[in-house]
C-alpha cells in the first residue's frame, strides 16, 4: 500500500463504463446485441485530439494499466512502470486509454456478465471473440471518445497482436504501432501450451461446461493448473534459477509429494492467487483469440502483403530470453514490414526475465520506448 | 565503437537521389539522416549497440537492432536495396568475406570504407618500430580492439576478385577523409582509408 502516491504515478483513478447499443457482428458469425466496455484514461486529450494512445492488454490483463484505485491497493495497474508523468508513455503529453477487452472478466461484457437473451450469466454461451473483434470494439470506443486517429496503439504479447491488427484493419486511424514481445501468429508449441491450459480448466469437475456460476462454484484446480503452466512459459530458465535454484523449503528432501522445492511453492501461490482474480471462461476465450490470430492467412500466409496496407510507423521490441515469443518471432514481423517497405525500427532488449520482461522496468527497454514516444509527442505537438 | 569522423560528402556523391539505402553498423544514424535530408534517401540502419539504437530513434532514423555477424538473411530479401553501405565496420566482422557477399545479395551495389593496413605509416610502425600500428585510423591497442580482420587494399581487391565482385570505384583518403592526389599513384602505400563501391560481377 502506498503511504503517499509516487510523484510519477497517475495517482488515484476511476474506471469508466461505456454502453454500446448497436449490434456487433463477430468473426465467429454471431452478433452481440449490445455490449459494454470498461476503460481507464490517464492524462488529458488535447484540443486537436491527436495525442491519444490506446493500450491493448495481454492474456490476463484488464483496463487497470496504471495508478491506484484506492490508497489501500497493494499494487498499481499492470503497466505502471511505463505509464505516468515523465514515464515513457508520458501522461503530461499523452491521453492514454486502456480498455478491458470484450470477453474479459473485469467489467467489459464477457462470460461473467448477464446475457440479455436469457437473463442469466453468459458463461459458456459467450461467443468466441477474435483479435479483430477487439479492434472493432475498440474503434467504437475511440469514436465515442472523439478520437479519430490514435497517436499510437501500444501493446505487449496478445496486446501486440491487437496493435498489428489495428495497423492492418484501420490504417488511417493510427500514426504509430508499438508491438512488444509478440508474434505474427502462434507456433504449434504455443498452441499446445494453450490447449493444455484449456484442458486443465475444462476437465475440472467444477467447470460444468462453463456454467459453473449457476452451480455456485469455480473450477479452481483447473484454472490454477492453467496459470501455473502459463507462468512457467512467461519466465525464463535463468529467471527461475536465479529466483529459486533448487532451494528446498525445509532444507531437506522429504520423499513425498508435498511442496518441497521453493519453486513449487511459488507456482502454487501464483496459481491460487490467480483463481481469486480471474475467470476461467475468460481464460479459455483469451487463449483461443491467441490461437486464431493470423492476419496473413487471408493472403496465402504473405504477411508482407498484409502489412502493405498499413500506414503507421512501427516500433517492434523483443526480449532476449523470451521463449514464448522469442526475438526470432519478432524478426518475422520486422522482416514482413521491411519486405512491405514500411517504416519500422526494431530493438532487441537484453534481459533475463523471459516473456514477463515486457511489463518490467528494464532501463534499455524504457529508454527505447521513451525515446520513440517523445518523437511521437513532438509530431503531435507540431 | 569509436568512429573516425566520416566524410559523408564522399559517400553521398556516389548515392543516387531518392534511392533505398541499408547502412550496416549505422552507429547513431548520422549518415542515413544526412542522406535522407540531402538526397531524399529512404532506408534503414543496422546496429548492435544499445546506446546507438536509442540515438538512432532520437535522430528519427529507422534502425534494426541486430548483429552483423549473424548475416542479413533474417531480415532482407535479395536485391531489396539500391546500396548497402558499411563504414569502418568490415574489419570488425568475424567473416568479412561472407558479409561482402551478403551486401551484394541484398543491394544492387555495396559501399565500404576501411582502414588500410598497407598505409606506409602502419608498415613503418611494424617494420621499424616493431609494434602493431596505432594511429588516428587505427586507434586501438592490439589486445583491446574491435578490429579483428585488418587488411590492405591489395588484400581487399584480391578478395573481391575471388568472390566475383566487380569494383566500380575506389577512392583513397587520409584519416580526415581528405582525398590525396599522391595517394592515387601508390594507393596501397599512401592511403590511410579506403572507400570502395562494388557490385556483383
Amino acid at each position: 500500500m502506498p503511504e503517499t502516491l509516487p510523484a510519477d504515478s497517475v495517482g488515484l483513478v476511476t474506471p469508466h463504463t461505456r454502453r454500446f447499443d448497436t449490434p456487433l457482428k463477430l468473426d465467429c458469425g454471431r452478433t452481440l446485441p449490445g455490449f459494454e466496455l470498461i476503460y481507464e484514461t490517464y492524462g488529458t486529450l488535447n484540443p486537436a485530439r491527436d495525442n491519444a494512445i490506446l493500450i491493448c492488454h495481454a492474456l490476463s490483463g484488464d483496463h487497470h494499466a496504471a495508478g491506484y484505485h484506492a490508497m489501500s491497493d497493494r499494487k498499481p495497474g499492470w503497466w505502471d512502470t511505463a505509464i505516468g508523468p515523465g514515464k515513457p508513455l508520458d501522461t503530461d503529453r499523452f491521453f492514454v486509454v486502456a480498455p478491458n477487452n470484450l470477453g474479459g472478466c473485469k467489467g467489459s461484457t464477457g462470460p461473467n456478465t448477464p446475457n440479455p437473451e436469457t437473463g442469466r450469466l453468459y458463461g459458456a454461451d459467450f461467443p468466441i471473440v477474435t483479435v479483430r473483434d477487439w479492434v472493432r470494439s475498440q474503434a467504437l470506443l475511440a469514436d465515442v471518445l472523439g478520437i479519430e486517429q490514435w497517436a499510437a496503439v501500444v501493446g505487449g504479447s496478445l496486446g501486440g497482436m491487437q496493435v498489428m491488427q489495428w495497423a492492418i484493419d484501420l490504417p488511417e486511424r493510427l500514426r504509430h504501432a508499438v508491438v512488444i514481445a509478440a508474434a505474427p501468429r502462434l507456433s504449434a508449441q504455443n498452441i499446445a501450451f494453450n490447449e493444455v491450459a484449456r484442458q486443465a480448466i475444462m476437465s475440472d469437475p467444477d467447470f460444468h461446461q462453463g456454467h459453473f456460476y449457476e452451480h455456485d462454484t469455480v473450477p479452481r484446480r483447473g484454472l490454477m493448473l492453467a496459470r501455473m503452466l502459463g507462468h512457467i512459459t512467461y519466465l525464463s530458465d535463468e529467471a527461475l534459477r536465479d529466483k529459486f535454484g533448487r532451494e528446498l523449503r525445509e532444507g531437506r528432501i522429504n520423499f513425498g509429494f508435498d511442496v518441497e522445492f521453493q519453486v513449487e511453492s511459488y507456482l502454487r501461490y501464483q496459481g491460487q492467487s490467480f483463481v481469486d482474480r480471474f475467470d476461467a471462461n475468460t481464460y479459455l476465450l483469451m487463449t483461443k483469440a491467441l490461437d486464431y490470430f493470423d492476419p496473413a492467412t487471408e493472403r496465402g500466409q504473405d504477411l508482407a502483403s498484409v502489412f502493405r496496407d498499413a500506414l503507421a510507423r512501427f516500433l517492434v521490441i523483443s526480449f532476449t530470453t523470451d521463449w514464448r515469443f522469442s526475438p526470432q518471432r519478432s524478426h518475422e514481423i520486422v522482416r514482413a514490414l521491411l519486405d512491405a517497405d514500411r517504416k519500422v525500427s526494431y530493438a532487441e532488449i537484453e534481459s533475463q526475465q523471459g516473456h514477463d520482461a515486457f511489463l518490467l522496468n528494464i532501463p534499455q527497454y524504457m529508454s527505447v520506448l521513451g525515446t520513440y514516444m517523445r518523437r511521437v509527442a513532438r509530431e503531435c505537438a507540431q | 565503437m569509436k568512429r573516425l569522423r566520416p566524410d559523408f560528402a564522399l559517400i553521398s556523391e556516389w548515392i543516387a537521389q531518392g534511392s533505398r539505402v541499408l547502412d550496416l553498423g549505422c552507429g547513431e544514424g548520422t549518415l542515413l539522416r544526412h542522406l535522407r535530408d540531402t538526397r531524399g534517401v529512404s532506408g534503414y540502419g543496422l546496429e548492435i549497440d544499445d546506446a546507438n539504437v536509442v540515438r538512432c530513434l532520437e535522430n528519427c532514423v529507422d534502425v534494426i537492432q541486430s548483429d552483423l555477424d549473424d548475416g542479413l538473411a533474417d531480415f532482407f530479401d535479395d536485391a531489396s536495396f539500391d546500396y548497402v553501405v558499411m563504414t569502418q565496420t568490415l574489419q570488425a566482422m568475424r567473416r568479412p568475406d561472407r558479409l561482402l557477399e551478403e551486401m551484394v545479395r541484398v543491394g544492387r551495389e555495396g559501399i565500404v570504407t576501411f582502414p588500410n593496413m598497407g598505409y606506409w605509416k602502419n608498415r613503418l610502425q611494424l617494420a621499424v618500430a616493431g609494434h602493431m600500428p596505432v594511429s588516428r585510423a587505427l586507434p586501438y591497442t592490439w589486445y583491446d580492439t574491435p578490429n579483428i580482420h585488418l587488411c590492405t587494399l591489395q588484400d581487399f581487391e584480391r578478395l573481391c576478385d575471388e568472390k566475383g565482385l566487380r569494383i566500380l570505384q575506389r577512392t583513397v583518403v587520409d584519416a580526415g577523409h581528405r582525398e590525396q592526389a599522391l595517394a592515387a599513384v601508390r594507393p596501397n602505400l599512401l592511403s590511410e582509408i579506403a572507400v570502395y563501391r562494388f557490385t556483383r560481377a
Side-chain angles (χ1 to χ4, degrees):
Chain A
M1 163 180 29
E3 294 266 306
T4 54
L5 293 166
D8 62 355
S9 169
V10 297
L12 288 175
V13 291
T14 314
H16 314 276
T17 301
R18 175 65 70 155
R19 165 104 213 137
F20 298 86
D21 285 317
T22 42
L24 182 69
K25 199 168 167 1
L26 303 171
D27 275 347
C28 67
R30 292 173 59 189
T31 301
L32 278 179
F35 63 96
E36 284 183 359
L37 287 181
I38 188 167
Y39 63 98
E40 286 181 7
T41 68
Y42 323 108
T44 315
L45 187 61
N46 65 12
R49 298 179 173 270
D50 64 357
N51 69 331
I53 292 177
L54 176 70
I55 303 290
C56 301
H57 71 68
L59 184 63
S60 61
D62 56 35
H63 53 286
H64 184 39
Y68 300 83
H69 284 157
M71 291 305 282
S72 58
D73 282 357
R74 208 168 47 84
K75 278 191 203 164
W78 58 267
W79 212 20
D80 198 72
T81 49
I83 304 168
K87 290 182 186 174
L89 301 167
D90 189 346
T91 48
D92 287 337
R93 299 162 181 245
F94 293 115
F95 176 62
V96 178
V97 180
N100 180 212
N101 286 354
L102 214 50
C105 53
K106 300 294 179 63
S108 288
T109 298
N112 66 351
T113 59
N115 178 352
E117 279 163 22
T118 62
R120 39 177 223 173
L121 301 185
Y122 272 107
D125 296 335
F126 194 83
I128 288 190
V129 284
T130 62
V131 169
R132 210 203 260 137
D133 293 330
W134 287 335
V135 169
R136 281 191 198 114
S137 66
Q138 290 160 354
L140 292 171
L141 180 63
D143 292 343
V144 300
L145 293 175
I147 296 159
E148 213 165 287
Q149 187 187 55
W150 300 101
V153 179
V154 181
S157 194
L158 179 55
M161 293 171 171
Q162 292 164 64
V163 176
M164 284 183 263
Q165 196 77 59
W166 260 97
I168 293 164
D169 287 354
L170 300 164
E172 315 266 348
R173 298 200 67 174
L174 66 160
R175 293 196 296 281
H176 293 266
V178 180
V179 180
I180 306 167
R185 61 169 182 268
L186 292 202
S187 65
Q189 187 193 44
N190 293 146
I191 296 174
F193 278 123
N194 283 347
E195 176 57 9
V196 175
R198 282 191 296 265
Q199 284 301 324
I201 292 170
M202 293 191 291
S203 60
D204 187 311
D206 286 331
F207 182 60
H208 298 288
Q209 276 81 49
H211 292 291
F212 50 88
Y213 316 110
E214 288 157 34
H215 293 80
D216 208 18
T217 179
V218 169
R220 295 188 67 87
R221 283 159 294 182
L223 185 54
M224 177 180 151
L225 280 177
R227 182 59 171 183
M228 285 169 77
L229 174 76
H231 211 83
I232 299 169
T233 71
Y234 306 148
L235 299 175
S236 65
D237 190 19
E238 293 94 317
L240 281 174
R241 196 180 308 147
D242 286 354
K243 222 166 174 169
F244 307 106
R246 291 178 50 86
E247 204 181 314
L248 293 160
R249 233 160 53 135
E250 294 172 21
R252 63 189 161 89
I253 285 176
N254 288 324
F255 299 98
F257 294 106
D258 284 341
V259 167
E260 291 189 289
F261 293 95
Q262 289 293 11
V263 65
E264 296 173 312
S265 150
Y266 169 77
L267 277 182
R268 286 191 195 192
Y269 169 77
Q270 288 295 338
Q272 270 154 8
S273 62
F274 189 63
V275 172
D276 299 328
R277 67 177 178 90
F278 213 75
D279 176 78
N281 283 318
T282 289
Y283 204 84
L284 296 177
L285 284 176
M286 297 278 169
T287 57
K288 269 293 173 188
L290 268 167
D291 291 0
Y292 290 151
F293 177 76
D294 187 2
T297 190
E298 284 165 25
R299 302 222 193 137
Q301 293 306 334
D302 185 357
L303 189 62
S305 140
V306 177
F307 277 144
R308 248 171 231 123
D309 298 339
L311 297 170
R313 265 181 184 272
F314 283 77
L315 172 65
V316 179
I317 299 176
S318 74
F319 300 89
T320 51
T321 52
D322 183 351
W323 59 279
R324 193 175 169 101
F325 296 141
S326 69
Q328 210 56 41
R329 306 308 311 278
S330 286
H331 288 190
E332 293 172 31
I333 299 168
V334 172
R335 193 198 166 103
L337 287 165
L338 290 168
D339 286 351
D341 200 12
R342 298 300 88 176
K343 299 195 177 307
V344 53
S345 284
Y346 169 62
E348 198 162 303
I349 310 292
E350 187 85 39
S351 86
Q352 297 300 310
Q353 293 92 340
H355 187 59
D356 261 1
F358 85 92
L359 297 170
L360 303 177
N361 188 5
I362 298 164
Q364 174 66 9
Y365 171 34
M366 290 296 124
S367 170
V368 163
L369 188 60
T371 305
Y372 191 85
M373 293 312 294
R374 274 195 295 282
R375 171 174 144 193
V376 176
R378 281 202 304 274
E379 277 169 17
C380 65
Q382 277 162 11
Chain B
M1 196 197 308
K2 206 172 152 193
R3 285 279 156 74
L4 299 163
R5 188 183 67 83
D7 190 339
F8 298 140
L10 195 70
I11 291 176
S12 54
E13 269 172 32
W14 290 356
I15 288 182
Q17 193 81 23
S19 49
R20 269 171 67 83
V21 175
L22 178 64
D23 184 0
L24 305 180
C26 67
E28 299 182 352
T30 325
L31 174 61
L32 273 174
R33 192 165 76 163
H34 176 76
L35 290 173
R36 183 187 63 204
D37 296 347
T38 60
R39 296 191 101 75
V41 156
S42 67
Y44 309 91
L46 253 64
E47 179 55 48
I48 190 170
D49 180 75
D50 279 353
N52 280 340
V53 167
V54 173
R55 294 304 304 275
C56 284
L57 294 175
E58 257 165 32
N59 283 328
C60 292
V61 165
D62 284 322
V63 61
I64 310 295
Q65 188 163 25
S66 113
D67 185 347
L68 290 177
D69 277 328
D70 295 340
L72 307 175
D74 251 17
F75 293 112
F76 302 104
D77 272 347
D78 295 359
S80 40
F81 289 90
D82 297 313
Y83 305 93
V84 180
V85 179
M86 186 160 62
T87 57
Q88 299 293 332
T89 304
L90 186 70
Q91 71 277 7
M93 292 293 101
R94 209 165 54 218
R95 288 297 300 263
D97 54 335
R98 288 186 191 156
L99 199 58
L100 286 173
E101 286 179 324
E102 278 284 85
M103 288 176 77
V104 290
R105 175 184 72 79
V106 167
R108 204 160 43 80
E109 290 180 10
I111 296 171
V112 292
T113 76
F114 59 85
N116 173 26
M117 197 58 182
Y119 181 52
W120 68 273
K121 281 187 182 169
N122 294 337
R123 296 191 198 193
L124 211 60
Q125 287 192 51
L126 191 57
V128 178
H131 63 75
M132 287 297 282
V134 178
S135 66
R136 231 182 346 158
L138 292 165
Y140 303 97
T141 48
W142 65 271
Y143 53 83
D144 182 22
T145 173
N147 301 329
I148 53 176
H149 283 124
L150 292 160
C151 68
T152 69
L153 268 60
Q154 202 182 85
D155 292 327
F156 180 80
E157 290 176 16
R158 194 173 294 160
L159 177 63
C160 287
D161 231 29
E162 275 171 34
K163 294 282 172 193
L165 304 180
R166 189 157 56 90
I167 292 165
L168 299 171
Q169 217 168 345
R170 178 186 71 190
T171 301
V172 286
V173 291
D174 67 11
H177 286 81
R178 285 176 295 267
E179 285 189 57
Q180 303 254 307
L182 206 58
V185 184
R186 292 287 305 276
N188 199 31
L189 188 66
L190 297 177
S191 65
E192 207 167 354
I193 308 275
V195 189
Y196 281 92
R197 189 161 69 87
F198 55 95
T199 186
R200 222 182 329 234

